[in-house]
Amino acid sequence: MALINQALLDAVEGIARDAGDAIMRVYAHGFSVEEKEDKSPLTEADKAAHNVIVAGLQALPVQFPILSEEDIEGFPGADAEGRYWLVDPLDGTKEFIKRNDEFTVNIALIENGKPVLGVVTAPALGVGYVAGQGLGAFKIEADGQRKAISVAGKPKAEAPWRVLGSRSHPSPDLAAWLAQLGEYTMLPMGSSLKLCIIAEGFADAYPRLGPTCLWDTAAAHAVVLEAGGRVETLEGTMLNYVNPNEKLNPNFVVWGC
């Protein structure tokens, strides 16, 4: 699609990095933690990143409605073409509070339920992942070097599956799923970084058998798609974002093959 071009991707990456800078200022000086109605944590870093991202997206030459985790009520709905920005200003707030550096800024553009552009930055780690439909998927290293990434493909017969798990959300259903998978090794990790690690070929699967929201996955989902991977429900259909009024994702698996 003509809308998705390198200039737009670069602009959104810049917005995400500005939001990351706002987060890191809070990270450096300490912060208080509030509790939302759903009992999830909220910090001033979430709010600061949200404000930076909304201002940045509203300044772009192309305008779409914005659904941010920090302003759900302000979202008017997708436009007539089914397009909207889907934003998690600070994904992995629990990781942020624990100070383990595994938190991200997520910005995605959705069109008719599909993430067609995604930017994920990990400000404490200094890395980022970007993708646009037809443009490919890339990792941006801490030194600014950009390299194309792709999934690893199915493990060889004698190799164990490299499985990623949530550091903050263990699931009682996971053991049964893993038993069906076969031999595996498990690496815990926080936030949307799990999807990006699969996109760059360093892991093979990430089963999420527990609640997540649309904004938790969309940006990294775009990266996985452009890297050649899949994000599917347990029924084998692509995870989609066609109904933003339904905030929760179903259970899903990210596949690097």
mmCIF file of all heavy atoms in Angstrom, residues 89-133:
data_model
loop_
_atom_site.group_PDB
_atom_site.id
_atom_site.type_symbol
_atom_site.label_atom_id
_atom_site.label_comp_id
_atom_site.label_asym_id
_atom_site.label_seq_id
_atom_site.Cartn_x
_atom_site.Cartn_y
_atom_site.Cartn_z
ATOM 1 N N PRO A 89 2.192 2.956 25.365
ATOM 2 C CA PRO A 89 3.309 3.872 25.639
ATOM 3 C C PRO A 89 4.423 3.239 26.450
ATOM 4 O O PRO A 89 5.592 3.599 26.288
ATOM 5 C CB PRO A 89 2.640 5.013 26.405
ATOM 6 C CG PRO A 89 1.193 4.943 26.031
ATOM 7 C CD PRO A 89 0.910 3.486 25.842
ATOM 8 N N LEU A 90 4.067 2.316 27.354
ATOM 9 C CA LEU A 90 5.071 1.625 28.160
ATOM 10 C C LEU A 90 4.580 0.200 28.396
ATOM 11 O O LEU A 90 3.773 -0.057 29.291
ATOM 12 C CB LEU A 90 5.306 2.346 29.493
ATOM 13 C CG LEU A 90 6.253 1.688 30.505
ATOM 14 C CD1 LEU A 90 7.569 1.278 29.863
ATOM 15 C CD2 LEU A 90 6.488 2.610 31.685
ATOM 16 N N ASP A 91 5.039 -0.711 27.560
ATOM 17 C CA ASP A 91 4.670 -2.120 27.693
ATOM 18 C C ASP A 91 5.670 -2.794 28.622
ATOM 19 O O ASP A 91 6.876 -2.679 28.434
ATOM 20 C CB ASP A 91 4.695 -2.801 26.318
ATOM 21 C CG ASP A 91 4.299 -4.262 26.401
ATOM 22 O OD1 ASP A 91 3.397 -4.586 27.194
ATOM 23 O OD2 ASP A 91 4.889 -5.084 25.688
ATOM 24 N N GLY A 92 5.142 -3.504 29.616
ATOM 25 C CA GLY A 92 6.023 -4.105 30.617
ATOM 26 C C GLY A 92 6.226 -3.172 31.798
ATOM 27 O O GLY A 92 7.342 -3.053 32.311
ATOM 28 N N THR A 93 5.140 -2.536 32.233
ATOM 29 C CA THR A 93 5.270 -1.636 33.381
ATOM 30 C C THR A 93 5.795 -2.391 34.607
ATOM 31 O O THR A 93 6.575 -1.850 35.402
ATOM 32 C CB THR A 93 3.914 -0.968 33.706
ATOM 33 O OG1 THR A 93 3.474 -0.224 32.561
ATOM 34 C CG2 THR A 93 4.038 -0.018 34.883
ATOM 35 N N LYS A 94 5.403 -3.665 34.750
ATOM 36 C CA LYS A 94 5.919 -4.453 35.874
ATOM 37 C C LYS A 94 7.434 -4.638 35.763
ATOM 38 O O LYS A 94 8.152 -4.613 36.755
ATOM 39 C CB LYS A 94 5.215 -5.808 35.930
ATOM 40 C CG LYS A 94 3.748 -5.714 36.341
ATOM 41 C CD LYS A 94 3.104 -7.079 36.432
ATOM 42 C CE LYS A 94 1.659 -6.964 36.869
ATOM 43 N NZ LYS A 94 0.996 -8.295 36.952
ATOM 44 N N GLU A 95 7.918 -4.811 34.525
ATOM 45 C CA GLU A 95 9.370 -4.930 34.332
ATOM 46 C C GLU A 95 10.058 -3.594 34.631
ATOM 47 O O GLU A 95 11.158 -3.555 35.184
ATOM 48 C CB GLU A 95 9.688 -5.368 32.891
ATOM 49 C CG GLU A 95 8.808 -6.472 32.327
ATOM 50 C CD GLU A 95 8.763 -7.705 33.206
ATOM 51 O OE1 GLU A 95 9.743 -7.993 33.904
ATOM 52 O OE2 GLU A 95 7.728 -8.390 33.198
ATOM 53 N N PHE A 96 9.385 -2.507 34.260
ATOM 54 C CA PHE A 96 9.893 -1.166 34.549
ATOM 55 C C PHE A 96 10.031 -0.974 36.061
ATOM 56 O O PHE A 96 11.066 -0.496 36.550
ATOM 57 C CB PHE A 96 8.932 -0.134 33.945
ATOM 58 C CG PHE A 96 9.296 1.303 34.198
ATOM 59 C CD1 PHE A 96 10.193 1.956 33.374
ATOM 60 C CD2 PHE A 96 8.722 2.012 35.248
ATOM 61 C CE1 PHE A 96 10.521 3.296 33.591
ATOM 62 C CE2 PHE A 96 9.040 3.335 35.478
ATOM 63 C CZ PHE A 96 9.941 3.979 34.636
ATOM 64 N N ILE A 97 8.996 -1.361 36.800
ATOM 65 C CA ILE A 97 9.010 -1.197 38.251
ATOM 66 C C ILE A 97 10.099 -2.070 38.881
ATOM 67 O O ILE A 97 10.777 -1.655 39.829
ATOM 68 C CB ILE A 97 7.619 -1.539 38.822
ATOM 69 C CG1 ILE A 97 6.598 -0.494 38.342
ATOM 70 C CG2 ILE A 97 7.648 -1.599 40.347
ATOM 71 C CD1 ILE A 97 5.155 -0.886 38.598
ATOM 72 N N LYS A 98 10.292 -3.266 38.330
ATOM 73 C CA LYS A 98 11.339 -4.171 38.841
ATOM 74 C C LYS A 98 12.738 -3.723 38.415
ATOM 75 O O LYS A 98 13.733 -4.246 38.904
ATOM 76 C CB LYS A 98 11.098 -5.592 38.304
ATOM 77 C CG LYS A 98 9.843 -6.265 38.809
ATOM 78 C CD LYS A 98 9.661 -7.614 38.088
ATOM 79 C CE LYS A 98 8.347 -8.256 38.433
ATOM 80 N NZ LYS A 98 8.106 -9.490 37.637
ATOM 81 N N ARG A 99 12.801 -2.788 37.487
ATOM 82 C CA ARG A 99 14.057 -2.265 36.960
ATOM 83 C C ARG A 99 14.911 -3.360 36.302
ATOM 84 O O ARG A 99 16.140 -3.392 36.461
ATOM 85 C CB ARG A 99 14.869 -1.563 38.057
ATOM 86 C CG ARG A 99 14.229 -0.281 38.546
ATOM 87 C CD ARG A 99 15.098 0.463 39.514
ATOM 88 N NE ARG A 99 14.544 1.769 39.834
ATOM 89 C CZ ARG A 99 14.731 2.883 39.131
ATOM 90 N NH1 ARG A 99 15.458 2.838 38.032
ATOM 91 N NH2 ARG A 99 14.183 4.015 39.511
ATOM 92 N N ASN A 100 14.277 -4.233 35.515
ATOM 93 C CA ASN A 100 15.063 -5.253 34.809
ATOM 94 C C ASN A 100 15.278 -4.901 33.338
ATOM 95 O O ASN A 100 15.799 -5.723 32.583
ATOM 96 C CB ASN A 100 14.427 -6.641 34.962
ATOM 97 C CG ASN A 100 13.133 -6.804 34.176
ATOM 98 O OD1 ASN A 100 12.745 -5.946 33.394
ATOM 99 N ND2 ASN A 100 12.461 -7.918 34.381
ATOM 100 N N ASP A 101 14.863 -3.701 32.931
ATOM 101 C CA ASP A 101 15.144 -3.126 31.603
ATOM 102 C C ASP A 101 14.317 -3.734 30.473
ATOM 103 O O ASP A 101 14.413 -3.279 29.327
ATOM 104 C CB ASP A 101 16.630 -3.237 31.234
ATOM 105 C CG ASP A 101 17.527 -2.391 32.127
ATOM 106 O OD1 ASP A 101 16.991 -1.593 32.918
ATOM 107 O OD2 ASP A 101 18.750 -2.539 32.028
ATOM 108 N N GLU A 102 13.481 -4.739 30.746
ATOM 109 C CA GLU A 102 12.732 -5.413 29.683
ATOM 110 C C GLU A 102 11.363 -4.761 29.486
ATOM 111 O O GLU A 102 10.316 -5.394 29.623
ATOM 112 C CB GLU A 102 12.581 -6.903 29.997
ATOM 113 C CG GLU A 102 13.899 -7.654 29.950
ATOM 114 C CD GLU A 102 13.760 -9.113 30.339
ATOM 115 O OE1 GLU A 102 12.634 -9.554 30.665
ATOM 116 O OE2 GLU A 102 14.776 -9.827 30.340
ATOM 117 N N PHE A 103 11.354 -3.493 29.145
ATOM 118 C CA PHE A 103 10.112 -2.794 28.834
ATOM 119 C C PHE A 103 10.272 -2.094 27.496
ATOM 120 O O PHE A 103 11.387 -1.816 27.049
ATOM 121 C CB PHE A 103 9.741 -1.799 29.948
ATOM 122 C CG PHE A 103 10.852 -0.870 30.347
ATOM 123 C CD1 PHE A 103 11.073 0.310 29.667
ATOM 124 C CD2 PHE A 103 11.688 -1.181 31.415
ATOM 125 C CE1 PHE A 103 12.101 1.175 30.026
ATOM 126 C CE2 PHE A 103 12.713 -0.322 31.796
ATOM 127 C CZ PHE A 103 12.916 0.852 31.091
ATOM 128 N N THR A 104 9.146 -1.815 26.854
ATOM 129 C CA THR A 104 9.183 -1.305 25.487
ATOM 130 C C THR A 104 8.154 -0.207 25.261
ATOM 131 O O THR A 104 7.192 -0.052 26.017
ATOM 132 C CB THR A 104 8.914 -2.434 24.467
ATOM 133 O OG1 THR A 104 7.634 -3.017 24.739
ATOM 134 C CG2 THR A 104 9.982 -3.507 24.520
ATOM 135 N N VAL A 105 8.363 0.516 24.172
ATOM 136 C CA VAL A 105 7.382 1.438 23.597
ATOM 137 C C VAL A 105 6.840 0.779 22.336
ATOM 138 O O VAL A 105 7.620 0.340 21.490
ATOM 139 C CB VAL A 105 8.032 2.790 23.255
ATOM 140 C CG1 VAL A 105 7.020 3.708 22.571
ATOM 141 C CG2 VAL A 105 8.612 3.449 24.496
ATOM 142 N N ASN A 106 5.528 0.694 22.206
ATOM 143 C CA ASN A 106 4.901 0.002 21.073
ATOM 144 C C ASN A 106 3.968 0.936 20.310
ATOM 145 O O ASN A 106 3.027 1.483 20.904
ATOM 146 C CB ASN A 106 4.067 -1.189 21.557
ATOM 147 C CG ASN A 106 4.877 -2.240 22.288
ATOM 148 O OD1 ASN A 106 6.090 -2.280 22.174
ATOM 149 N ND2 ASN A 106 4.201 -3.078 23.046
ATOM 150 N N ILE A 107 4.203 1.093 19.020
ATOM 151 C CA ILE A 107 3.311 1.877 18.163
ATOM 152 C C ILE A 107 3.025 1.068 16.900
ATOM 153 O O ILE A 107 3.954 0.659 16.199
ATOM 154 C CB ILE A 107 3.919 3.236 17.766
ATOM 155 C CG1 ILE A 107 4.344 4.028 19.010
ATOM 156 C CG2 ILE A 107 2.919 4.040 16.935
ATOM 157 C CD1 ILE A 107 5.071 5.337 18.676
ATOM 158 N N ALA A 108 1.750 0.824 16.611
ATOM 159 C CA ALA A 108 1.355 0.072 15.426
ATOM 160 C C ALA A 108 0.306 0.841 14.645
ATOM 161 O O ALA A 108 -0.496 1.591 15.218
ATOM 162 C CB ALA A 108 0.792 -1.300 15.816
ATOM 163 N N LEU A 109 0.306 0.646 13.340
ATOM 164 C CA LEU A 109 -0.786 1.120 12.493
ATOM 165 C C LEU A 109 -1.585 -0.101 12.048
ATOM 166 O O LEU A 109 -1.021 -1.053 11.505
ATOM 167 C CB LEU A 109 -0.255 1.878 11.273
ATOM 168 C CG LEU A 109 -1.322 2.391 10.292
ATOM 169 C CD1 LEU A 109 -2.274 3.369 10.977
ATOM 170 C CD2 LEU A 109 -0.678 3.045 9.068
ATOM 171 N N ILE A 110 -2.874 -0.050 12.310
ATOM 172 C CA ILE A 110 -3.780 -1.146 11.961
ATOM 173 C C ILE A 110 -4.597 -0.758 10.732
ATOM 174 O O ILE A 110 -5.079 0.370 10.639
ATOM 175 C CB ILE A 110 -4.732 -1.470 13.129
ATOM 176 C CG1 ILE A 110 -3.950 -1.714 14.419
ATOM 177 C CG2 ILE A 110 -5.631 -2.659 12.775
ATOM 178 C CD1 ILE A 110 -2.985 -2.858 14.371
ATOM 179 N N GLU A 111 -4.744 -1.698 9.816
ATOM 180 C CA GLU A 111 -5.632 -1.503 8.673
ATOM 181 C C GLU A 111 -6.474 -2.759 8.502
ATOM 182 O O GLU A 111 -5.952 -3.845 8.273
ATOM 183 C CB GLU A 111 -4.852 -1.226 7.397
ATOM 184 C CG GLU A 111 -5.783 -0.948 6.207
ATOM 185 C CD GLU A 111 -5.019 -0.598 4.945
ATOM 186 O OE1 GLU A 111 -4.125 -1.379 4.573
ATOM 187 O OE2 GLU A 111 -5.325 0.446 4.354
ATOM 188 N N ASN A 112 -7.783 -2.598 8.653
ATOM 189 C CA ASN A 112 -8.719 -3.727 8.511
ATOM 190 C C ASN A 112 -8.285 -4.923 9.355
ATOM 191 O O ASN A 112 -8.310 -6.070 8.900
ATOM 192 C CB ASN A 112 -8.872 -4.122 7.043
ATOM 193 C CG ASN A 112 -9.534 -3.035 6.227
ATOM 194 O OD1 ASN A 112 -10.462 -2.372 6.697
ATOM 195 N ND2 ASN A 112 -9.052 -2.821 5.013
ATOM 196 N N GLY A 113 -7.880 -4.648 10.566
ATOM 197 C CA GLY A 113 -7.563 -5.699 11.513
ATOM 198 C C GLY A 113 -6.140 -6.207 11.476
ATOM 199 O O GLY A 113 -5.735 -6.979 12.345
ATOM 200 N N LYS A 114 -5.344 -5.779 10.503
ATOM 201 C CA LYS A 114 -3.978 -6.275 10.355
ATOM 202 C C LYS A 114 -2.974 -5.186 10.729
ATOM 203 O O LYS A 114 -3.119 -4.034 10.305
ATOM 204 C CB LYS A 114 -3.729 -6.721 8.918
ATOM 205 C CG LYS A 114 -2.319 -7.255 8.658
ATOM 206 C CD LYS A 114 -2.146 -7.674 7.199
ATOM 207 C CE LYS A 114 -0.733 -8.185 6.940
ATOM 208 N NZ LYS A 114 -0.529 -8.567 5.526
ATOM 209 N N PRO A 115 -1.931 -5.527 11.490
ATOM 210 C CA PRO A 115 -0.882 -4.541 11.770
ATOM 211 C C PRO A 115 0.026 -4.385 10.543
ATOM 212 O O PRO A 115 0.732 -5.317 10.171
ATOM 213 C CB PRO A 115 -0.125 -5.150 12.949
ATOM 214 C CG PRO A 115 -0.344 -6.622 12.833
ATOM 215 C CD PRO A 115 -1.682 -6.811 12.179
ATOM 216 N N VAL A 116 -0.005 -3.210 9.926
ATOM 217 C CA VAL A 116 0.735 -2.992 8.680
ATOM 218 C C VAL A 116 1.993 -2.163 8.883
ATOM 219 O O VAL A 116 2.800 -2.013 7.968
ATOM 220 C CB VAL A 116 -0.168 -2.342 7.601
ATOM 221 C CG1 VAL A 116 -1.275 -3.294 7.184
ATOM 222 C CG2 VAL A 116 -0.760 -1.028 8.097
ATOM 223 N N LEU A 117 2.161 -1.637 10.075
ATOM 224 C CA LEU A 117 3.387 -0.917 10.440
ATOM 225 C C LEU A 117 3.570 -1.100 11.937
ATOM 226 O O LEU A 117 2.604 -1.031 12.704
ATOM 227 C CB LEU A 117 3.285 0.559 10.082
ATOM 228 C CG LEU A 117 4.479 1.470 10.394
ATOM 229 C CD1 LEU A 117 4.570 2.614 9.370
ATOM 230 C CD2 LEU A 117 4.384 2.079 11.809
ATOM 231 N N GLY A 118 4.808 -1.357 12.348
ATOM 232 C CA GLY A 118 5.057 -1.518 13.766
ATOM 233 C C GLY A 118 6.429 -1.016 14.159
ATOM 234 O O GLY A 118 7.402 -1.229 13.435
ATOM 235 N N VAL A 119 6.490 -0.346 15.295
ATOM 236 C CA VAL A 119 7.750 0.105 15.883
ATOM 237 C C VAL A 119 7.765 -0.310 17.345
ATOM 238 O O VAL A 119 6.814 -0.030 18.095
ATOM 239 C CB VAL A 119 7.917 1.630 15.777
ATOM 240 C CG1 VAL A 119 9.132 2.088 16.571
ATOM 241 C CG2 VAL A 119 8.048 2.058 14.313
ATOM 242 N N VAL A 120 8.812 -0.996 17.734
ATOM 243 C CA VAL A 120 9.029 -1.397 19.124
ATOM 244 C C VAL A 120 10.415 -0.907 19.517
ATOM 245 O O VAL A 120 11.403 -1.247 18.858
ATOM 246 C CB VAL A 120 8.963 -2.926 19.299
ATOM 247 C CG1 VAL A 120 9.256 -3.318 20.745
ATOM 248 C CG2 VAL A 120 7.609 -3.472 18.856
ATOM 249 N N THR A 121 10.495 -0.114 20.568
ATOM 250 C CA THR A 121 11.807 0.295 21.064
ATOM 251 C C THR A 121 11.936 -0.140 22.523
ATOM 252 O O THR A 121 10.962 -0.146 23.272
ATOM 253 C CB THR A 121 12.031 1.813 20.958
ATOM 254 O OG1 THR A 121 11.059 2.499 21.761
ATOM 255 C CG2 THR A 121 11.927 2.276 19.508
ATOM 256 N N ALA A 122 13.144 -0.525 22.888
ATOM 257 C CA ALA A 122 13.449 -0.896 24.271
ATOM 258 C C ALA A 122 14.447 0.130 24.800
ATOM 259 O O ALA A 122 15.661 -0.038 24.656
ATOM 260 C CB ALA A 122 14.029 -2.308 24.328
ATOM 261 N N PRO A 123 13.967 1.226 25.376
ATOM 262 C CA PRO A 123 14.857 2.364 25.665
ATOM 263 C C PRO A 123 15.978 2.049 26.644
ATOM 264 O O PRO A 123 17.079 2.588 26.504
ATOM 265 C CB PRO A 123 13.898 3.424 26.220
ATOM 266 C CG PRO A 123 12.652 2.700 26.593
ATOM 267 C CD PRO A 123 12.560 1.538 25.677
ATOM 268 N N ALA A 124 15.754 1.173 27.612
ATOM 269 C CA ALA A 124 16.816 0.853 28.560
ATOM 270 C C ALA A 124 17.893 -0.028 27.941
ATOM 271 O O ALA A 124 19.044 -0.021 28.385
ATOM 272 C CB ALA A 124 16.228 0.166 29.788
ATOM 273 N N LEU A 125 17.524 -0.760 26.897
ATOM 274 C CA LEU A 125 18.470 -1.641 26.206
ATOM 275 C C LEU A 125 19.097 -0.956 24.993
ATOM 276 O O LEU A 125 20.089 -1.451 24.448
ATOM 277 C CB LEU A 125 17.770 -2.927 25.765
ATOM 278 C CG LEU A 125 17.126 -3.755 26.882
ATOM 279 C CD1 LEU A 125 16.391 -4.955 26.297
ATOM 280 C CD2 LEU A 125 18.173 -4.207 27.890
ATOM 281 N N GLY A 126 18.492 0.145 24.556
ATOM 282 C CA GLY A 126 19.045 0.898 23.434
ATOM 283 C C GLY A 126 18.784 0.300 22.071
ATOM 284 O O GLY A 126 19.427 0.705 21.094
ATOM 285 N N VAL A 127 17.848 -0.638 21.973
ATOM 286 C CA VAL A 127 17.585 -1.284 20.687
ATOM 287 C C VAL A 127 16.155 -1.017 20.243
ATOM 288 O O VAL A 127 15.303 -0.614 21.043
ATOM 289 C CB VAL A 127 17.836 -2.806 20.749
ATOM 290 C CG1 VAL A 127 19.284 -3.080 21.115
ATOM 291 C CG2 VAL A 127 16.887 -3.485 21.733
ATOM 292 N N GLY A 128 15.901 -1.248 18.962
ATOM 293 C CA GLY A 128 14.563 -1.083 18.431
ATOM 294 C C GLY A 128 14.299 -2.064 17.310
ATOM 295 O O GLY A 128 15.227 -2.640 16.719
ATOM 296 N N TYR A 129 13.030 -2.262 17.023
ATOM 297 C CA TYR A 129 12.594 -3.137 15.932
ATOM 298 C C TYR A 129 11.533 -2.389 15.142
ATOM 299 O O TYR A 129 10.607 -1.808 15.725
ATOM 300 C CB TYR A 129 12.012 -4.439 16.480
ATOM 301 C CG TYR A 129 12.987 -5.256 17.293
ATOM 302 C CD1 TYR A 129 13.160 -5.004 18.651
ATOM 303 C CD2 TYR A 129 13.732 -6.280 16.714
ATOM 304 C CE1 TYR A 129 14.059 -5.734 19.409
ATOM 305 C CE2 TYR A 129 14.629 -7.017 17.463
ATOM 306 C CZ TYR A 129 14.788 -6.744 18.813
ATOM 307 O OH TYR A 129 15.676 -7.473 19.558
ATOM 308 N N VAL A 130 11.664 -2.387 13.829
ATOM 309 C CA VAL A 130 10.716 -1.660 12.985
ATOM 310 C C VAL A 130 10.326 -2.528 11.802
ATOM 311 O O VAL A 130 11.107 -3.353 11.331
ATOM 312 C CB VAL A 130 11.308 -0.326 12.486
ATOM 313 C CG1 VAL A 130 11.667 0.581 13.652
ATOM 314 C CG2 VAL A 130 12.519 -0.552 11.604
ATOM 315 N N ALA A 131 9.098 -2.325 11.317
ATOM 316 C CA ALA A 131 8.631 -3.070 10.155
ATOM 317 C C ALA A 131 7.482 -2.318 9.509
ATOM 318 O O ALA A 131 6.693 -1.656 10.190
ATOM 319 C CB ALA A 131 8.174 -4.476 10.551
ATOM 320 N N GLY A 132 7.403 -2.431 8.199
ATOM 321 C CA GLY A 132 6.280 -1.886 7.457
ATOM 322 C C GLY A 132 5.912 -2.844 6.349
ATOM 323 O O GLY A 132 6.791 -3.494 5.768
ATOM 324 N N GLN A 133 4.638 -2.945 6.074
ATOM 325 C CA GLN A 133 4.183 -3.868 5.046
ATOM 326 C C GLN A 133 4.882 -3.579 3.711
ATOM 327 O O GLN A 133 4.825 -2.473 3.196
ATOM 328 C CB GLN A 133 2.665 -3.743 4.870
ATOM 329 C CG GLN A 133 2.062 -4.747 3.905
ATOM 330 C CD GLN A 133 0.550 -4.743 3.988
ATOM 331 O OE1 GLN A 133 -0.029 -5.318 4.895
ATOM 332 N NE2 GLN A 133 -0.087 -4.068 3.046
#
